[in-house]
Amino acid sequence: MIDTHTPLDFGCGHCQPDSAEAAAEATRGFEFVHRLIDESHYIVSIKRCPHCTQAYLSVFTETIDWIGGEDPQYRTLLPITADETQMLAAHGERVSDSALNALGPQRRSLCIDYPRDGGKRMFWNTGMCIGPHD
């Protein structure tokens, strides 16, 4: 399916600012809508910006590496449509990684990377990228 949305179709200045760091800070105030998968190292949920009600698919992954206690973590937030929100909620915990990865391949997404070495990175990317998880 071709994604015909543009970045301007999603969010507001609060949740879609130019700076990835500002966007990451804004996600702290997002409201919880649905929890799809809730495992200790893999959490998939739908959250919403309280300013414009834009829904976001949020995927958190963590890999236990048994080195020094700081395990690599990765989070991607992708704005999603109302139809996608309904589809994901209907699939619930049965939603697959491939179905999540297929959403909005050309849409701007926020990535927050906490590598083991502690050098936290926040950056804009496109599409959904599910990191490795246990």
Side-chain angles (χ1 to χ4, degrees), residues 1-117:
M1 180 168 90
I2 296 174
D3 185 5
T4 60
H5 295 91
T6 69
L8 299 177
D9 291 336
F10 296 100
C12 64
H14 180 77
C15 61
Q16 288 284 321
D18 291 336
S19 161
E21 290 80 8
E25 182 62 31
T27 66
R28 292 175 175 239
F30 279 13
E31 300 167 342
F32 173 80
V33 178
H34 296 286
R35 181 154 333 260
L36 304 172
I37 299 172
D38 189 8
E39 298 174 2
S40 58
H41 305 293
Y42 182 48
I43 301 170
V44 179
S45 59
I46 298 172
K47 298 182 176 187
R48 175 175 50 220
C49 172
H51 297 274
C52 67
T53 69
Q54 173 64 56
Y56 286 84
L57 173 63
S58 173
V59 177
F60 167 83
T61 60
E62 181 177 26
T63 305
I64 305 302
D65 65 8
W66 306 105
I67 301 172
E70 294 298 323
D71 297 320
Q73 299 176 355
Y74 196 79
R75 181 181 307 272
T76 302
L77 290 107
L78 177 76
I80 55 176
T81 66
D83 287 345
E84 290 166 339
T85 300
Q86 288 180 323
M87 180 271 300
L88 290 168
H91 279 92
E93 65 185 26
R94 295 180 323 273
V95 69
S96 67
D97 285 4
S98 61
L100 297 175
N101 280 325
L103 292 170
Q106 300 303 314
R107 253 180 250 166
R108 182 167 87 157
S109 58
L110 176 65
C111 297
I112 305 169
D113 185 16
Y114 298 89
R116 182 176 47 85
D117 66 13

Side-chain angles (χ1 to χ4, degrees), residues 111-128:
C111 297
I112 305 169
D113 185 16
Y114 298 89
R116 182 176 47 85
D117 66 13
K120 181 177 174 183
R121 298 182 322 135
M122 292 155 275
F123 56 95
W124 291 114
N125 201 358
T126 55
M128 177 54 64

